Amino acid sequence: MLPSNLAELIARVPPRYLNELEEIRLRRDRPLMLGLGGSDYFLRQDGTPVSVPDGAYLIDAADLVKVLHNISNSSLYALEEEFKNGYVTLPGGHRVGLTGKAVLENGRVKTLKYLSGLNIRVCREIKGAANGLIKHLIEHQAQNVYHTVIFSPPRCGKTTLLRDLVRQVSNGLPGMQLAGRTVGVVDERSEIAGCYRGVPQMDVGVRTDVLDGCPKAQGMMMLLRAMSPDVIVTDEIGSMEDIHALEEVFNAGVRVIVTIHGSSLRELANRPALKYLLQLNVIERFVLLGRSRGVGTVEKIFSGADLPNLGVKMC
């Protein structure tokens, strides 16, 4: 998706850096920046990553126009819906965030124009990413998984971990006495399964059904009514509409695994919608991710019984 000049520039970056590439940030009239292993680096013309912007390659308007034309197959009009949401998902699950001037209609964002910044987030499939965690999420008596919330600040590997959990639960784990379960994934941003024309490009398991590009709350109801899932999975919940849909899933006896942005359970409990979710007293495992030992580090696992000690009152 990058024009040749930027692709050649990034290709000069030493492999030890590229192996940790998380983001490519293109801001008009400002230095090209790479997110590498949790740190930000500016990029010089020779491909050398540096910590200061002096001598770094400056992104100009032509660079942004070329990237946008590549992303849209030279038809920006075709991406109007994505522009309204502020991002475009590429085949393979990579996501391009967009900034510029918002065009409003009835007080809501209709599209973006005069685009001034792009953030290309690199999606990685890491099979085995959930190996150390999955044993803590299996309820052996019910031969199923616990209702689970995975939470962390941005860029801590929630989606990568979630994808591998889906694969393992779907395929089954004979060594842990877990038969394969039918998994329904609501992939609103096309990041979990990386669908292209509705077909997952990532390995999400043999018993997994994916609703791609579908709003989370609506998608959960569609899967519940039509696909008989044992487990429903979705990414980055947060609205009250999402929580009410989850409540319907709980009432149907279907397990859930979801992710949320947040750095602590106290922080989650301070948001009205998530506080309601916690007060339902249904979630059995809370998994906090961080970067203390690299992206995707499982910092701590809480059980539902820990919530009262954190000041969360149950219904």
Side-chain angles (χ1 to χ4, degrees):
M1 298 300 170
L2 295 173
S4 58
N5 63 316
L6 294 182
E8 292 169 3
L9 178 60
I10 293 174
R12 300 187 192 113
V13 176
R16 69 179 184 277
Y17 289 104
L18 285 183
N19 289 338
E20 297 184 334
L21 181 62
E22 298 172 1
E23 295 181 339
I24 304 171
R25 289 188 177 267
L26 313 174
R27 300 180 176 101
R28 181 173 173 175
D29 301 327
R30 282 179 282 176
L32 171 61
M33 183 183 289
L34 303 183
L36 300 166
S39 300
D40 294 324
Y41 291 89
F42 302 98
L43 204 56
R44 289 181 175 166
Q45 291 277 7
D46 62 358
T48 302
V50 292
S51 58
V52 294
D54 300 338
Y57 178 89
L58 293 179
I59 297 295
D60 61 24
D63 291 326
L64 294 179
V65 168
K66 291 174 184 176
V67 175
L68 288 168
H69 278 284
N70 289 344
I71 290 171
S72 65
N73 290 320
S74 300
S75 176
L76 293 179
Y77 176 79
L79 294 180
E80 186 169 319
E81 185 68 22
E82 285 86 350
F83 280 14
K84 179 175 70 175
N85 294 325
Y87 66 89
V88 177
T89 304
L90 306 178
H94 313 289
R95 186 166 71 177
V96 183
L98 311 164
T99 57
K101 181 174 178 57
V103 178
L104 302 183
E105 185 176 81
N106 299 322
R108 300 179 66 86
V109 176
K110 179 183 178 182
T111 187
L112 294 174
K113 65 178 181 179
Y114 308 133
L115 294 176
S116 59
L118 304 175
N119 179 26
I120 303 173
R121 298 189 62 182
V122 178
C123 176
R124 295 186 185 278
E125 181 177 49
I126 303 178
K127 292 185 178 180
N131 285 355
L133 175 64
I134 186 70
K135 61 185 177 183
H136 299 288
L137 306 185
I138 297 174
E139 185 182 0
H140 294 288
Q141 186 174 355
Q143 273 291 291
N144 215 327
V145 294
Y146 288 117
H147 294 301
T148 300
V149 165
I150 301 166
F151 65 101
S152 80
R155 292 176 62 181
C156 287
K158 290 188 297 296
T159 303
T160 301
L161 180 67
L162 186 65
R163 181 186 305 116
D164 198 54
L165 282 174
V166 169
R167 180 185 67 85
Q168 295 199 38
V169 172
S170 175
N171 289 344
L173 296 161
M176 297 184 188
Q177 290 77 53
L178 180 70
R181 315 303 292 176
T182 299
V183 181
V185 175
V186 186
D187 198 2
E188 184 170 1
R189 295 179 176 85
S190 305
E191 290 184 300
I192 302 172
C195 287
Y196 180 66
R197 296 183 177 178
V199 179
Q201 305 300 293
M202 304 291 187
D203 184 356
V204 289
V206 296
R207 298 176 180 86
T208 299
D209 302 299
V210 180
L211 267 177
D212 181 54
C214 183
K216 290 182 280 288
Q218 185 178 349
M220 284 187 272
M221 293 299 95
M222 291 170 65
L223 288 172
L224 189 61
R225 293 165 183 158
M227 301 307 294
S228 303
D230 300 307
V231 183
I232 284 181
V233 174
T234 193
D235 210 5
E236 298 182 11
I237 65 165
S239 71
M240 188 58 78
E241 186 181 14
D242 295 341
I243 305 307
H244 286 319
L246 283 174
E247 195 171 8
E248 292 289 331
V249 174
F250 298 146
N251 291 337
V254 175
R255 302 302 173 97
V256 303
I257 304 176
V258 300
T259 69
I260 300 175
H261 279 307
S263 57
S264 70
L265 284 175
R266 288 188 184 277
E267 179 186 330
L268 302 187
N270 286 330
R271 302 180 205 165
L274 299 179
K275 182 177 182 179
Y276 179 76
L277 172 63
L278 300 182
Q279 289 177 334
L280 290 175
N281 195 23
V282 175
I283 302 299
E284 298 159 297
R285 294 290 183 270
F286 296 87
V287 180
L288 172 62
L289 297 187
R291 306 180 68 109
S292 64
R293 297 182 303 279
V295 176
T297 300
V298 176
E299 304 288 359
K300 193 165 184 179
I301 302 173
F302 303 89
S303 74
D306 294 320
L307 293 181
N309 298 327
L310 296 169
V312 179
K313 296 180 181 179
M314 304 305 177
C315 295

